[in-house]
Every structure is written in C-alpha cells, then in structure tokens.
Amino acid sequence: MLHAALYGDGDDQAVILTYAWDRLLIDPVPGPRGPDDFTGLEPITPAVWQVPAEARPIAPAGSTLPRLAAELPHTFALIDPRQGAEGVTRQLEELIGYLEPESIDLLDVGGDALARGDEPTLKSPLADALTLAACSQVNAPIRLLIAGPGLDGELPLDDLKGTLGPLVHTFTPKDVDPISSVLEWHPSEATGMLAATARGVRGTCEVRDAGLPIPLTDEGPTVHEVDLDEALSRNELARAIMATTALDQVEALSREVCGFSEIDYERNKALWLKDQRPLNLDTETLLPQLDQFEAEARGRGITHTTFRHLTEVLNLDGTQRDALRRLLINSRPEQYAAPLWGIMAASSHHTSRTP
C-alpha cells in the first residue's frame, strides 16, 4: 500500500525486510521466528533469506508471511533478530550491498519507534527499537516514516504530534483497494485501522486483549517523515541495544530500560492460553455474547472493534478467527465496516441472512 502510494505500481516492486513475529492467535510460539523455523526459504545473501509463497513455518510455529508473499507482488525477506542489533545491522548491510536500492524506508505503523521507553501505554517496544538501532548504524540514507500515528495504541496521538515531521502522504480508499483481499484475513489491528480510516471510518476502536480504545481520526490515514537521528535520541532502548549480539541481551536491556520484555508477556499468555477451552462457533451461543459485549462497549464509548479482539473476547481459538468473521458478516452484514466491526447503536435492528 505504501510502496504503490509513494512510488507507483509499476514493474519495480519493493523488497520488504520484516519480522516473522505474529500474535499468539496466529503463532502460538512466543517471540519472533528465525530462518530455522521455516522450510522453503531462499537465500538472498549469506545472512538474509527470502520468504516465498511456498515457504512454510515448522509446527507448532505459525506465520502470515508465506501467504503475504503469495498475494502481494513484493519480495518478503526475513529479519532474524537472534544476533541482536549487530546481526540485524549485518543483514541490512548485506541486503543494501546486494540490491543497491534507489531508496530505503523504515516504516512504523503507529509510532512506538518514537517512544522513550517509560510510557505507561507502551507494550511492544522491542522490535521497533531493534530495527531503529540497526538502521542508525547502516552507512546508507534511510528515511523513517510513521504511518497512522497513534493507531497501535502504544503512544497517544497527542504525545506524538510534536515529534512528527512533514506530511508525506494521506491514504485514500484508492490506496487501500488493491490490498482489500489481504485485509480480509490479515490479523494486524493497526494496519486494519489504518485502512479503515483511509476509507473514512471515524470513531473509537477497541483492540487487543486488554481492550485499548484507539481514536479513529483524520490523522489516522496520514504518513509522516521523522528524522531518524532524532528518533534514536528519544528511544532509550534503541540506544542501549546497539551493540547487542543476541536476542537475550536485547530482552535483558528491555527489562532494564522499559521494565518489561514483551516476549515475557507472550510466554505468560501462551501458558494461559493452553489452559483455555475455546467455545464452539454456535450462532445461538455467540450472538447473545456478542450483544452483551457490544452493550458494554457502547457504554465505554466504543464504535468499532477488530475481529482479533472479538476472537479473544468471545473466548475463541485463534484458528477460529476467520470462521467467526464469516459468521458475523453473514449474520449482521450492516455492521461490517471493512476491515473492522462496527458497534451499532442499541436501537438498531439486526438483519440476518443465511450463508
């Protein structure tokens, strides 16, 4: 979406270097995946591996990257964080040397790359700090872009406004349309809200297992440039981990700087999820539970939510998310504010249709 908006949708497609780090609903194994967690990867350089459509995560791990590679025209390459910031820096340097790209953009949806590290709303600083630390050590011009400021629920929009640089782009429905099919299944809540705001959706969206309220405003579909050095000067964790050579070191410094490691949170949640017994996808059972959730959400001022959040609220397994989505859209199509779920006023009447 960003590549087409900024560079056009011609023959030159992007190489996207990214983590294989999905939520536990997709990947029940805590933390990011490395090359050893996949079959079918293809080497690009000695340290960088491409994730083609034919690649598969090795059970019990899961990953959305192979399906993204199958449905999008770009090349997806895997960030391997196991050797810390020095390892990611080496991967970047090898890839840049091999590709000789015309431009390099570091994209963060939401803006937690700009966190100091002590913000009470900060939940997952590690991945962004690691890439920021690596990019700051590469001998090549890299542009830091923040899309959908505040949409990840990590830093409030008001806290970000003073740090954002010039406006680069504002997404529109035309930008979103080519990836609509991906948004139907991909679990990223921040990207889903980014797309929804680009389509004109406004209100307050409740996300994540904790039920964070995220304002959907006119700032939602914007992309801003931020000076990378200024971001590094703000991000204490990124500065602290620049010389790390192992993910364990990065985690230890995250606990020291931020007071926690999000991988610890995933470990604890994974243990909790093992003891949960998901409900059956039964309309007669689920719809009354949905009605109760929506009534309570309206009382909190919530106008929208995500299917990921609904999956957790309704005590369903991550593998049931797509089935839940189909069931709800078939039952109450008027509430589908693609790719979000709209929470209608109490006086609204639901209509039903059979699948």
Side-chain angles (χ1 to χ4, degrees):
M1 185 165 74
L2 179 69
H3 182 267
L6 298 186
Y7 302 106
D9 53 3
D11 294 335
D12 292 333
Q13 297 298 334
V15 174
I16 300 174
L17 184 63
T18 186
Y19 294 99
W21 195 345
D22 286 285
R23 301 300 180 186
L24 294 175
L25 290 175
I26 300 295
D27 181 2
V29 182
R33 306 280 67 77
D36 294 343
D37 295 310
F38 289 87
T39 61
L41 299 187
E42 299 175 358
I44 300 177
T45 74
V48 181
W49 294 81
Q50 179 183 347
V51 184
E54 298 77 21
R56 292 294 180 269
I58 299 172
S63 176
T64 57
L65 289 184
R67 187 170 178 182
L68 285 173
E71 298 190 17
L72 296 175
H74 309 295
T75 296
F76 287 85
L78 184 65
I79 295 177
D80 182 2
R82 294 176 300 175
Q83 281 76 49
E86 288 196 4
V88 178
T89 302
R90 182 167 58 254
Q91 293 163 50
L92 279 168
E93 289 174 339
E94 285 189 9
L95 195 59
I96 292 168
Y98 176 76
L99 295 174
E100 298 182 349
E102 294 181 1
S103 62
I104 308 169
D105 294 326
L106 172 59
L107 175 64
D108 175 25
V109 178
D112 54 340
L114 304 179
R116 296 182 305 273
D118 60 351
E119 294 87 349
T121 52
L122 193 62
K123 301 296 181 185
S124 54
L126 192 151
D128 291 294
L130 190 54
T131 49
L132 181 61
C135 287
S136 69
Q137 300 181 82
V138 171
N139 186 25
I142 297 178
R143 179 172 64 164
L144 173 58
L145 299 176
I146 305 297
L151 288 183
D152 60 354
E154 303 271 344
L155 299 178
L157 177 59
D158 288 344
D159 292 355
L160 288 168
K161 283 182 177 178
T163 66
L164 299 175
L167 179 69
V168 174
H169 185 71
T170 299
F171 288 116
T172 67
K174 182 180 178 181
D175 295 319
V176 176
D177 287 345
I179 64 163
S180 293
S181 61
V182 173
L183 295 172
E184 297 294 320
W185 61 265
H186 197 275
S188 171
E189 292 178 308
T191 303
M193 289 185 286
L194 178 66
T197 57
R199 287 169 165 162
V201 174
R202 299 293 183 267
T204 302
C205 187
E206 190 168 274
V207 302
R208 292 193 176 186
D209 50 359
L212 297 174
I214 308 297
L216 305 176
T217 70
D218 291 344
E219 194 66 35
T222 64
V223 183
H224 292 264
E225 184 174 354
V226 176
D227 184 88
L228 193 141
D229 290 334
E230 290 182 8
L232 183 66
S233 69
R234 284 179 56 89
N235 194 315
E236 184 179 349
L237 178 58
R239 297 196 308 275
I241 64 177
M242 290 180 70
T244 53
T245 57
L247 184 58
D248 288 346
Q249 296 172 359
V250 177
E251 271 204 272
L253 287 166
S254 180
R255 297 184 191 105
E256 181 179 322
V257 172
C258 303
F260 65 93
S261 161
E262 63 244 49
I263 305 179
D264 284 339
Y265 172 80
E266 290 186 359
R267 293 182 182 110
N268 293 332
K269 185 175 179 180
L271 291 174
W272 178 81
L273 287 173
K274 284 183 179 180
D275 296 330
Q276 302 305 302
R277 300 187 64 182
L279 299 174
N280 292 325
L281 274 174
D282 176 72
T283 304
E284 293 184 1
T285 302
L286 283 177
L287 292 185
Q289 290 183 323
L290 177 66
D291 289 338
Q292 180 180 350
F293 162 74
E294 290 184 346
E296 294 170 354
R298 281 192 295 271
R300 297 189 292 271
I302 302 301
T303 61
H304 297 82
T305 190
T306 65
F307 288 100
R308 174 191 161 192
H309 184 52
L310 286 175
T311 301
E312 296 187 314
V313 164
L314 298 174
N315 196 33
L316 297 173
D317 186 88
T319 60
Q320 297 173 293
R321 176 184 171 276
D322 287 343
L324 172 67
R325 177 185 163 278
R326 291 192 298 270
L327 184 152
L328 294 186
I329 293 174
N330 278 323
S331 300
R332 300 174 178 178
E334 72 280 3
Q335 289 185 245
Y336 186 42
L340 305 179
W341 183 252
I343 297 176
M344 301 180 69
S347 59
S348 299
H349 295 287
H350 296 303
T351 60
S352 299
R353 67 183 181 192
T354 55

